[in-house]
Amino acid sequence: MMRGALGGPRVLLRRLREVMAEPVSAQERLDRIVVLIAANMVAEVCSVYVLRADGTLELYATEGLNRAAVHLTTMRAGEGLVGLIAETAEALNISDAQTHPRYSYKPETGEEIYNSFLGVPILRAGNTIGVLVVQNSARRTYSEEEMEALQTTAMVIAEMVAGGELEALANPASGGTALRRPLMLTGVPIAEGVGLGHVVLHEPRIVIKNMLADDPAQEDRRLEEALLALQASIDVLISGDGLGPGEHREILETFRMFAHDRGWLRRLREAIASGLTAEAAVERVQSDTRAKLLRQTDPYLRERLHDFDDLANRLLHQLTGEAFTLAAGSLPENAILVARAMGPAALLEYERSRLRGLILEEGGATSHVAVVARALGVPCVGEVQGITSLVEQGDAIIVDGSAGDVQVRPQSTVEASYAEKARMRARRQEQYLALRDQPAVTRDGVAIDLQMNAGLLVDMPQLSEVNAAGIGLFRTEILFMVAPSMPRAEAQEALYRAILQSAGGRPVTFRTLDIGGDKILPYMRKVEEENPALGWRAIRIGLDRPALLKAQFRAILKACAGRTARIMLPMVATVDEYRQAKAMVERERAYLAKHGHPGPRDVKLGAMLEVPALLFDLEAVLKAVDFISVGSNDLMQFLFAVDRDNRRVSGRFDTLNPAMLRALANIARMASEAGKPVTVCGEMAGRPIEALALLALGYRQLSMSPAAIGPVKAMVLGTDLGAARAAIGTMLGDCDGCASLRSKIAAYAEANNITV
Ligand code: PEP
Ligand code: MG
């Protein structure tokens, strides 16, 4: 064999290691690499193409082709054999290149005489970022071993591209390499605000310092040991109770399956045999697997990608001994966290003052971490496809949580415009802050009670910051979601007590557990249901499993010792459900009294109005309850039969449509006639236009996210309520089958100088 004389792949890798250690420029290093490969493989040509920001492949180095073509010759995406490799992310090994249907001839390179062609993709996290090619004029087939060696070299080059080393070499017209290009991505807006900063990966990618091994036998041993440890750790997790938050049994079962997967293990061993260290082998196999799975259209197979990523990641950590996630407290300034998924407790561990934003690949607007991001006021965008594989640690990045946009490695003009947006926002916040001490009274003297929604202890300081009148909705399930295990009665009592304490004297309305539907507790067995939103949730679980609800009632009552306990029940559908729950509260109160525990001075038990059935039994409901609170999110969902979390339909109907408004008007009127307090605590209460409509319909109490208090108060201060009531009443009367009153109300607000 020809290559025998030159030492074969193993010698190539040894020489490659030497070249990587030499203190030379990036271009020189690339030039030496191509010379080395060509000599070692007895190829006349060896070339490196790098994918540019404009989507073309640029010749970065060559041995054998015309050197003057370097940084000038480009291939369009999909053009020629090089383009084909980039497109498919698969190696190509052919002895008669010129007759291949995709062959494309570039005269400036002088490549017309070459017949044999071997090309491999340069991959980074499964994305093609370049192509490495060797060519010969004689017809030959390159051996498996040679292909392996070329792929290994491609990995080394991938590191150079990812490290930004090649950026200065690019043709100035190209906009740089594709891997480092600016990207604008969109996702789902989760938490408002604009954040500018630098990428911090929640699960830092392991930086492999040593890619090429001295002793393959030793690498084999290291791999075996790490695999054994990995398999053992998964077995322990599955068999024990040690499931951490987010570590669901099914996922671990999948891990176990992969960890024993023969094909995967064989590919790892082959990669080591080709000269890589054990960790480089894991990365190489993972990148190949990603490349294949990324091109799959079958959602099930694509889903497996994450399982493989997780497994490879665990193995890498096992091999390097590095910590799995970023150590708490090690956050740099202006950090924008990027994560595939993240538990709510993990987010709470980061230092808030250094955090400028959060970007999630998977989490949607209703994920638990989203709730925490909003509570902390961290601008956040979710469902940003592929983000974790498109950024590198430290990359400049911008997150716009209001629009749902993410700008990766932004150009300076883009950055300047977002910085301006952030400044504008800060200025507006200052204006709202100036309203802080002004009472929320309309121009014609009607006082409006503006309360705040909360769900965590970290929300509570905002109560006095925005100066809300109280907590109109405390979603207790959020406390449960971030807890590692089900909080027992004593722990619950301590939590509620802490919340009341931080509220000072202001009232707090605790809503009992609203779990089920999309709100799953990580430590509770998940019940598979066809329609979870219509299923076993909220008060239904509470009544069917009274121990849980009883413990919660008792904890709240004890925590409220000496004051008025305000409790409300979610998803009540009949008066009877309310009565059953009320009887439980009374029993608990009696129990406390009997056993000498100090109890609340008074108890106000309310029902949330979220299920349309209650609309048609309002008289009885109002007679039974102490107060009602309209959960407009769910009421809208059930009134229109439109899933609030399904983006395809959730925006289909406007909340300001006549059906919803008439239902709301009716509730307000009847509550007032019955002399029972009524609040709106769904999201619409926090949107100024909608809040204006609610005031016009007769509501005087609204509860909203803390960030909404300022804007809604500004609306209240500018409104003449008598006039607005008349105007909006007329609009509703005149609306003959119209879809929404939004534009009319907005026009009214504008004409009357009401800021909405
Ligand atoms: C609602 O449904 O409007 C509500 C306030 O409750 P949640 O959003 O928690 O379901
Ligand atoms: Mg609800």
Side-chain angles (χ1 to χ4, degrees), residues 183-454:
L183 285 175
M184 139 108 186
L185 306 169
T186 42
V188 184
I190 285 187
E192 296 245 329
V194 176
L196 291 88
H198 292 94
V199 170
V200 173
L201 288 163
H202 173 54
E203 287 180 3
R205 221 172 277 141
I206 299 240
V207 180
I208 298 176
K209 296 174 198 89
N210 229 341
M211 305 202 57
L212 305 169
D214 300 313
D215 178 3
Q218 195 199 341
E219 298 305 313
D220 255 335
R221 277 194 300 279
R222 289 184 60 225
L223 178 69
E224 290 311 320
E225 277 164 26
L227 278 168
L228 281 175
L230 176 73
Q231 285 159 355
S233 74
I234 294 173
D235 289 345
V236 166
L237 280 175
I238 292 179
S239 60
D241 298 323
L243 288 190
E247 279 173 334
H248 298 291
R249 200 167 296 274
E250 308 133 59
I251 298 177
L252 291 169
E253 292 286 0
T254 317
F255 273 0
R256 175 144 72 178
M257 200 175 81
F258 287 143
H260 291 277
D261 181 279
R262 287 247 185 82
W264 188 62
L265 298 175
R266 179 177 46 75
R267 287 196 298 278
L268 287 173
R269 290 189 185 112
E270 280 171 4
I272 287 181
S274 83
L276 290 175
T277 57
E279 47 270 47
V282 176
E283 186 167 293
R284 153 93 178 273
V285 170
Q286 185 51 17
S287 202
D288 290 349
T289 311
R290 278 192 126 255
K292 287 200 186 78
L293 290 176
L294 278 172
R295 283 165 178 77
Q296 285 288 344
T297 45
D298 179 345
Y300 175 79
L301 286 176
R302 284 190 65 119
E303 204 35 52
R304 299 282 71 74
L305 177 64
H306 293 327
D307 298 336
F308 262 117
D309 273 344
D310 276 344
L311 191 67
N313 226 352
R314 277 171 195 254
L315 192 54
L316 279 177
H317 284 91
Q318 196 67 251
L319 278 164
T320 56
E322 278 183 38
F324 208 51
T325 50
L326 207 64
S330 58
L331 213 55
E333 294 283 346
N334 298 331
I336 306 257
L337 270 183
V338 176
R340 208 181 75 214
M342 189 193 269
L347 180 57
L348 283 168
E349 275 173 26
Y350 286 104
E351 213 175 321
R352 173 65 188 93
S353 63
R354 289 167 181 256
L355 215 52
R356 292 283 169 274
L358 170 66
I359 303 168
L360 301 165
E361 193 160 316
E362 286 181 353
T366 54
S367 60
H368 302 168
V369 66
V371 171
V372 175
R374 278 194 290 264
L376 294 173
V378 177
C380 175
V381 176
E383 289 178 31
V384 182
Q385 274 205 355
I387 183 74
T388 52
S389 68
L390 294 169
V391 296
E392 300 284 334
Q393 199 83 304
D395 275 351
I397 194 163
I398 298 171
V399 50
D400 182 344
S402 315
D405 293 337
V406 172
Q407 301 282 353
V408 181
R409 298 176 288 266
Q411 282 167 324
S412 55
T413 47
V414 173
E415 188 171 328
S417 85
Y418 276 92
E420 179 56 24
K421 199 168 171 179
R423 267 194 300 277
M424 286 274 295
R425 212 183 125 81
R427 216 169 299 143
R428 236 178 297 130
Q429 296 304 105
E430 267 168 40
Q431 286 163 1
Y432 294 138
L433 207 63
L435 301 180
R436 184 190 174 279
D437 296 321
Q438 233 168 301
V441 178
T442 62
R443 284 175 49 199
D444 49 346
V446 183
I448 308 298
D449 191 32
L450 299 183
Q451 301 213 18
M452 185 187 115
N453 295 347

Side-chain angles (χ1 to χ4, degrees), residues 511 514 537 608 610 634 644:
R511 176 174 75 183
D514 187 2
R537 53 176 295 197
M608 285 195 74
E610 311 186 90
D634 276 315
R644 62 193 261 192

Side-chain angles (χ1 to χ4, degrees), residues 588-599:
E588 285 313 307
R589 243 186 126 177
Y591 173 92
L592 292 185
K594 188 169 155 207
H595 290 83
H597 293 292

Side-chain angles (χ1 to χ4, degrees), residues 143-166:
S143 72
E144 270 293 315
E145 254 189 314
E146 282 171 319
M147 187 146 97
E148 281 284 338
L150 205 60
Q151 276 169 331
T152 301
T153 315
M155 239 190 112
V156 174
I157 297 174
E159 284 296 322
M160 290 175 73
V161 182
E165 246 180 276
L166 304 187

Side-chain angles (χ1 to χ4, degrees), residues 27 31 35 59 61-71 108-109:
Q27 184 67 56
D31 291 345
V35 169
L59 183 65
T62 186
E63 166 68 5
L65 298 186
N66 185 358
R67 294 274 314 255
V70 168
H71 296 302
E108 74 273 22
T109 61

